[in-house]
Amino acid sequence: MTSADIRPGDPVEAGQVLARAFHDDPVINWMLPGGTGAPLMFTMLARHIHAITEAVHDEGGAMVGAALWDPPGHVPDFESAVPGFVEAMGERVSYGMVLDETLAAHRPREPHWYLAQIGTVPERQGTGLGGALMRAGLARCDSLPAYLESSKEANLPFYERHGFAMTEKFWLPDGPPIWGMWREAV
């Protein structure tokens, strides 16, 4: 396994990394065909919506992966994020609103940590850096469960290796499926 340097991440750099990591993601392509605006959208998520931006860096110090987490009870700052979302998504901002509403309707109600996004740049996928990033995030869960949604079926085994189990499969309106996954407290 590759050694990993994991530390808090800069939201702008995390936005760039996550846009590259999610370049072929069905939900991102449903929301933003061709990925136009994705770097700024992910930056807004890291800066205003999610509580923790954690990053993994390569041997040269470049950010090659990022994860966005929320502790139980976290309240996003949607008001501050709106201008950036509108700039990033234009007329597709309504798709982001539908995505947020759909995910919220399926999210468990009991207290849990929420993993909103995790990804590594394509050339570093499969090298163990995503796993290191996941383990670092899970280490902070403090005996509480964790929840995530996977937007790619191919990623389910990765999450299962980290203790998550699928709880449901649901669809975006006129869009792709999403898999809800839960990890019991350890």
Side-chain angles (χ1 to χ4, degrees):
M1 174 163 59
T2 305
S3 66
D5 173 20
I6 298 172
R7 59 182 185 258
D10 172 72
V12 174
E13 195 173 3
Q16 294 289 330
V17 165
L18 288 170
R20 289 185 58 210
F22 283 78
H23 74 281
D24 63 348
D25 183 82
V27 170
I28 298 303
N29 286 312
W30 168 82
M31 191 168 47
L32 293 170
T36 301
L40 181 55
M41 180 199 69
F42 281 116
T43 296
M44 292 298 102
L45 290 170
R47 183 174 284 150
H48 302 292
I49 303 302
H50 301 294
I52 297 169
T53 300
E54 196 159 51
V56 62
H57 298 79
D58 67 13
E59 300 79 11
M63 186 187 295
V64 294
L68 306 180
W69 287 87
D70 293 333
H74 173 70
V75 178
D77 184 2
F78 286 111
E79 188 174 326
S80 295
V82 167
F85 282 140
V86 170
E87 181 182 343
M89 303 171 78
E91 64 186 40
R92 304 291 292 188
V93 76
S94 64
Y95 283 73
M97 294 166 54
V98 168
L99 174 62
D100 185 63
E101 291 167 4
T102 303
L103 296 180
H106 290 271
R107 196 159 297 137
R109 301 294 171 228
E110 70 182 90
H112 63 276
W113 279 85
Y114 175 57
L115 174 56
Q117 279 88 30
I118 186 169
T120 56
V121 295
E123 61 272 17
R124 297 307 293 263
Q125 292 173 359
T127 65
L129 293 174
L133 192 56
M134 175 68 86
R135 286 188 298 280
L138 291 174
R140 96 168 54 79
C141 288
D142 296 332
S143 301
L144 287 174
Y147 178 77
L148 62 83
E149 299 99 3
S150 180
S151 50
K152 283 177 85 173
E153 188 171 18
N155 292 341
L156 299 181
F158 170 80
Y159 298 123
E160 290 166 346
R161 284 193 301 276
H162 293 280
F164 288 89
M166 187 178 73
T167 56
E168 69 175 319
K169 180 179 180 181
F170 56 95
W171 280 261
L172 290 167
D174 297 318
I178 296 175
W179 293 263
M181 302 190 78
W182 183 258
R183 180 182 186 263
E184 292 294 340
V186 293

